[in-house]
Every structure is written in structure tokens, then in C-alpha cells.
Amino acid sequence: MRLSRFFIDTPLSIGEHDLPEAQAHYISRVLRMAEGDAVQLFDGSGHEFRGTLAEVGKKRVVVNIDESFAGQVESSLAVHLGQGLSRGERMDWAIQKATELGVNEITPIFTDRCEVRLKDERADKRLMHWRQVAISACEQCGRSSVPMIHPPLLLADWLKQTEAELKLVLHPVAEPLVSHAKPATLAFLIGPEGGLSDAEVEQAKAGGFHAARLGPRVLRTETAPVVALAVAQQLWGDF
């Protein structure tokens, strides 16, 4: 039987731990778990922790951790995804699936055709939401490390600060992904719903990015990272 698995945003170790309020509420009020139930926890360090619920109350849940072990090994291919900002569920989908496919970092990108505008408090809330989407994906897929979700950046700023052995911008008219040699680190740039403008593609090329295509069909902004990461993991990673 599969154990219920939860991310805890604080360092874990053998012994008793009070769980954070959000996880405590979910375990006690939503899942209605009881004392003695087994759980598996991870804290993003790459380790997993097994234990049992020692106390389950309305406001307090205590877990007794009695086992620690190495978690799922990360892919040898480190990937940073620069994802053009898109509306609502499309962005959530891209982050969720990229996490499942082993991405290490995600930066939402403001581009010319981006229809999303985020400022101040709204931007902070969206960033927290995206991080929770990645955490939930890790809980589901078994990853022991949570990818870094960076605050949104202008395309020019992301291009300047992004470093990788191979940097690719997806474009329907370019050499296929397979034409590139295996890198240790990879950066992908994917446009928003309206795609990247020709000027932005040229801007990326001037910043050291190579244009690459995934096939003859134009993919949606939320589909492109799924296909790109799956192909990259098959060619150079852990698939």
C-alpha cells in the first residue's frame, strides 16, 4: 500500500516533529488520518523520512520519524526552463508537468506577446501559488527535491543572467533537438500563448541561444515544455 507523502518546508530528522499548520489541517481535517497511521515526508534535501502519526488533533499533528533514507535520484541533466507567462491553468500545467519531468529551475518570462501583468502583491501571490504547484507535483511523482521557481523576469534580464552549456530557444523553423551534442546543463526558452516575436528569437540567439524545433507541428505554450523536456531527458537525461 502506497504511503501518504507530504512535503515539509523545514529540515527533518529522526524523532518527533510538529507538522506545519497547513499540512496538519490537511492530514487531520481533509484526509482524516488517525494516530498510528504511517506517513512519508520529504523536506527538499534529497532525503525521505518515514514515520507514524503520534498525535492527531484539530490544530496539532505530531509525527514520530523512525527512518531516513536517500530519495529519488535527480536526472544528470540539469535544466532551467524559461517559460513565457501565460494565463491561469496553462502556466500551472507547464510548471506541474515540467516538475514531473525533472526540471531543476523555472523562471516565468515577460515577453512582447505576454498577456499577463503581475505587480507587487499579486506577483507574490502567484509566485507562492506556482511554488505550491511544483511541491504538489513532487508529492505525486516521487521527487525528493523541489525545483526552484524564480520570480518573473523580463526576457532581456533572463537572457543576460542565464548560464548553461547548451541554451535553446524553441522555434518551428530550426534544426531538430537531436542535432545537438549532449550537454551537462541545459536552458530552454519557450514563448507564451502568442509565441516569441522574431525580434525576441534573434535577441535570444544574440545571447548564445540556438534555435531548435521539436517537430512539424506548432505546439501550445503549455505543451511545448512537456515535449521538450521529455525529448531532452530521452536524449541526454534519465529516461
Side-chain angles (χ1 to χ4, degrees):
M1 182 177 178
R2 184 175 179 178
L3 292 177
S4 295
R5 186 169 178 269
F6 307 98
F7 173 73
I8 306 299
D9 193 16
T10 187
L12 297 172
S13 59
I14 301 296
E16 286 197 348
H17 293 264
D18 282 64
L19 297 187
E21 182 178 351
Q23 285 80 5
H25 177 269
Y26 186 66
I27 286 172
S28 63
R29 310 302 291 173
V30 179
L31 297 181
R32 297 193 179 280
M33 299 179 73
E35 293 178 10
D37 284 350
V39 292
Q40 186 162 318
L41 311 176
F42 66 107
D43 58 5
S45 66
H47 286 80
E48 299 278 328
F49 302 85
R50 288 186 185 140
T52 55
L53 299 179
E55 180 181 338
V56 180
K58 291 182 178 180
K59 296 184 178 181
R60 185 173 186 240
V61 171
V62 179
V63 61
N64 182 27
I65 296 174
D66 54 22
E67 182 182 2
S68 171
F69 57 96
Q72 188 181 91
V73 177
E74 290 288 290
S75 173
S76 60
L77 178 66
V79 185
H80 187 164
L81 172 64
Q83 177 72 35
L85 267 165
S86 56
R87 294 179 179 178
E89 292 183 356
R90 288 187 175 92
M91 197 68 188
D92 290 358
W93 173 274
I95 290 172
Q96 180 190 69
K97 300 310 174 187
T99 299
E100 292 177 20
L101 288 163
V103 75
N104 301 89
E105 300 178 64
I106 302 173
T107 301
I109 305 292
F110 291 113
T111 66
D112 290 344
R113 295 171 181 166
C114 173
E115 297 182 358
V116 180
R117 295 292 180 264
L118 298 175
K119 291 184 179 180
D120 303 329
E121 184 178 348
R122 187 181 177 202
D124 292 339
K125 287 182 178 179
R126 292 308 297 171
L127 183 59
M128 290 176 61
H129 171 75
W130 291 327
R131 286 175 173 166
Q132 187 55 55
V133 169
I135 288 169
S136 297
C138 287
E139 290 177 335
Q140 181 275 323
C141 74
R143 283 188 72 176
S144 300
S145 299
V146 179
M148 174 65 71
I149 312 296
H150 296 286
L153 285 176
L154 294 172
L155 175 60
D157 294 332
W158 187 74
L159 293 174
K160 288 178 183 178
Q161 68 183 46
T162 299
E163 297 182 359
E165 186 175 327
L166 177 61
K167 297 188 282 188
L168 300 175
V169 52
L170 296 189
H171 194 274
V173 182
E175 292 299 314
L177 208 65
V178 70
S179 64
H180 295 277
K182 178 180 179 178
T185 56
L186 173 65
F188 267 129
L189 173 59
I190 295 174
E193 291 155 284
L196 296 169
S197 68
D198 290 341
E200 287 173 327
V201 173
E202 292 305 314
Q203 184 182 8
K205 289 180 180 179
F209 280 71
H210 302 275
R213 65 178 172 87
L214 294 173
R217 289 163 292 278
V218 177
L219 303 177
R220 289 180 177 270
T221 182
E222 69 271 25
T223 307
V226 177
V227 178
L229 290 166
V231 172
Q233 293 289 16
Q234 176 66 41
L235 290 173
W236 309 311
D238 60 357
F239 275 21

